Amino acid sequence: MSELTVLLHPDPRLKKTCIPVTNIDKSIKKLCLDMIETMYKYSGVGLAASQVGILKRVVVMDCSEEGEKKPKVLINPEIIWSSEDVSLFEEGCLSIPDIREEIKRPSSVRIKFTDISGVLKEDFFEGLWATCIQHEIDHLNGKLFIDYLGPIKRSFITKKMKKYKKEINKK
Ligand code: GNR
Ligand code: NI
């Protein structure tokens, strides 16, 4: 397995709509394993393929208790139902390190997706799992959690990130 590089905002690839996976071949399976490794390495609870520069509709997630390790692979995930009630969660993103903001989203969702064996499945998510899958599907559609914030807050974060990227490029 190999660890992948996580793209940092702002990056044009994080704004792109990812394309559906039509064939789960060896390269997709390797991508999933590498994404799981990368997610754990950076202590994330989810990762979308666009965050590692691959513009395909692939998501990995693990919101289980620490030490449990129950990674999920979701290919072409789609929300087929979302609850009327919403909840406020403090979100973070591996592509926007050290920024945390409260975002309002439906509390629970039903998802349709293809698993790593190519089987079409449905699953119900609530709590952090529900927040996370919505955050990841947004990534596949070129949307970041900061896009839910007002323009002033968002441009402040983008400015801070540009500065941060300049700093780490100097090292
Ligand atoms: O690690 C992550 N934590 C998190 C916390 C609240 C809501 C969403 C997330 S996803 C994030 C990892 C990430 O950037 N996934 O795209
Ligand atoms: Ni993210």
Side-chain angles (χ1 to χ4, degrees):
M1 293 217 276
S2 28
E3 187 193 316
L4 305 168
T5 304
V6 178
L7 301 178
L8 296 176
H9 169 71
D11 187 299
R13 290 166 286 183
L14 292 171
K15 307 254 72 181
K16 294 257 170 33
T17 300
C18 297
I19 58 165
V21 173
T22 50
N23 180 28
I24 304 169
D25 57 14
K26 268 206 160 140
S27 76
I28 293 289
K29 286 182 181 168
K30 177 166 181 358
L31 170 67
C32 293
L33 292 174
D34 290 345
M35 284 172 64
I36 291 169
E37 180 184 348
T38 307
M39 172 179 71
Y40 287 139
K41 166 85 197 282
Y42 293 98
S43 305
V45 293
L47 191 66
S50 53
Q51 290 181 279
V52 295
I54 306 292
L55 301 180
K56 294 183 179 167
R57 302 189 80 83
V58 175
V59 161
V60 299
M61 270 189 356
D62 192 349
C63 305
S64 57
E65 306 275 301
E66 243 171 276
E68 265 192 72
K69 282 208 179 180
K70 285 181 187 154
K72 275 185 189 285
V73 171
L74 301 103
I75 296 166
N76 304 330
E78 269 179 65
I79 297 170
I80 52 172
W81 174 86
S82 34
S83 63
E84 291 292 331
D85 60 308
V86 291
S87 43
L88 207 55
F89 248 101
E90 194 175 73
E91 298 196 17
C93 182
L94 294 178
S95 297
I96 318 173
D98 299 323
I99 304 287
R100 307 201 134 260
E101 294 288 344
E102 290 205 307
I103 307 291
K104 211 184 273 179
R105 298 185 190 266
S107 312
S108 47
V109 288
R110 260 197 100 73
I111 304 291
K112 182 174 94 176
F113 65 99
T114 300
D115 76 3
I116 193 68
S117 313
V119 178
L120 193 63
K121 289 191 168 164
E122 282 185 20
D123 211 343
F124 175 81
F125 291 116
E126 55 192 341
L128 178 59
W129 287 95
T131 295
C132 191
I133 188 60
Q134 292 174 79
H135 174 118
E136 303 311 337
I137 291 174
D138 275 349
H139 272 301
L140 301 181
N141 294 327
K143 187 164 184 168
L144 300 172
F145 81 94
I146 58 169
D147 295 335
Y148 292 99
L149 304 172
I152 298 172
K153 223 170 188 178
R154 188 169 61 239
S155 57
F156 179 77
I157 291 168
T158 301
K159 214 170 117 187
K160 210 171 146 185
M161 281 301 301
K162 282 181 181 167
K163 213 169 163 183
Y164 172 70
K165 286 178 79 173
K166 266 188 194 151
E167 289 296 318
I168 56 174
N169 279 328
K170 273 187 210 160
K171 285 180 194 166

